Amino acid sequence: MLAGVAVLFSANAYAVDIKPYVGLDYVYSMADIDKLEGYSVYEEDLSAFAVSAGARFHPNFGVEAFYQQSEEGEKTTMTYLKGTDQYKAYGIDVIGYLPVMEKLELVGSLGVARYNVDAELKLFNLEGDGDDKGMGYRLGAGAQYNFNDNIAARAMVRYVDTDIDGLDNIVDLTLGIRYTF
């Protein structure tokens, strides 16, 4: 019985210090969308918001799940061709942290996400739907400033390579906050 108690105490000595957190980000997305007969018919720059939940399981590593949704973009080309587009995404990123000052860390991410793109094209009274789904492979870099043990601000840039027809890649600029429990 004493050996069992000793094992329990020794296991706690090596326990992992997991720090869960939630986040909210403003995202400015710049998409590389294929042109139609040389014309850009969809809005390529969209604002979005993202919510995330994650955990740091090591001072230098963590994991983060997110959901992101853009505004509806609208673009009129040649006065008679109107395109609307928006997207939703959800996925997971592995996050790396590198402290550079007492409260400042460099942040890197590598992840995968599912993107759902809703697009519509109107030509006079004719309408077409271009909805598509696909995977996006994400690579990001940025910085995080920790105001205290609970509140942090984060800025990042992410490159997303997608397998969606007509959407080659997305560059996301994000600015947000994190609350650690």
Side-chain angles (χ1 to χ4, degrees):
M1 184 172 179
L2 285 175
V5 171
V7 167
L8 286 176
F9 280 115
S10 66
N12 284 337
Y14 296 105
V16 176
D17 185 21
I18 297 174
K19 295 182 179 179
Y21 63 86
V22 293
L24 179 64
D25 294 314
Y26 167 75
V27 183
Y28 184 74
S29 295
M30 297 169 285
D32 183 11
I33 302 172
D34 290 349
K35 311 290 188 253
L36 178 67
E37 299 295 324
Y39 292 98
S40 175
V41 295
Y42 295 110
E43 182 60 52
E44 295 181 321
D45 299 339
L46 297 172
S47 292
F49 283 94
V51 293
S52 59
R56 284 178 80 157
F57 52 86
H58 182 275
N60 300 104
F61 297 103
V63 67
E64 182 174 294
F66 73 93
Y67 175 79
Q68 183 172 321
Q69 183 169 343
S70 77
E71 66 179 334
E72 181 176 80
E74 188 175 296
K75 188 169 192 172
T76 302
T77 307
M78 301 179 290
T79 68
Y80 56 84
L81 187 60
K82 181 180 177 184
T84 59
D85 59 330
Q86 66 181 357
Y87 73 88
K88 298 173 186 167
Y90 57 92
I92 192 162
D93 293 321
V94 174
I95 310 288
Y97 303 90
L98 179 63
V100 292
M101 294 173 61
E102 182 180 344
K103 296 185 177 213
L104 182 65
E105 300 173 300
L106 295 180
V107 180
S109 68
L110 183 62
V112 63
R114 178 76 170 171
Y115 283 80
N116 299 327
V117 178
D118 297 323
E120 188 176 288
L121 194 58
K122 293 181 183 178
L123 176 62
F124 298 113
N125 291 330
L126 302 173
E127 293 185 21
D129 234 354
D131 299 350
D132 203 353
K133 298 176 182 174
M135 298 303 293
Y137 305 96
R138 301 161 40 102
L139 178 65
Q144 179 168 299
Y145 185 82
N146 301 300
F147 294 103
N148 56 42
D149 288 342
N150 301 102
I151 299 173
R154 182 188 288 178
M156 290 191 75
V157 61
R158 281 193 182 87
Y159 176 82
V160 183
D161 184 30
T162 73
D163 64 1
I164 298 172
D165 289 337
L167 176 60
D168 296 325
N169 62 66
I170 303 170
V171 175
D172 286 337
L173 304 175
T174 67
L175 184 59
I177 58 171
R178 298 289 180 275
Y179 181 81
T180 302
F181 297 98

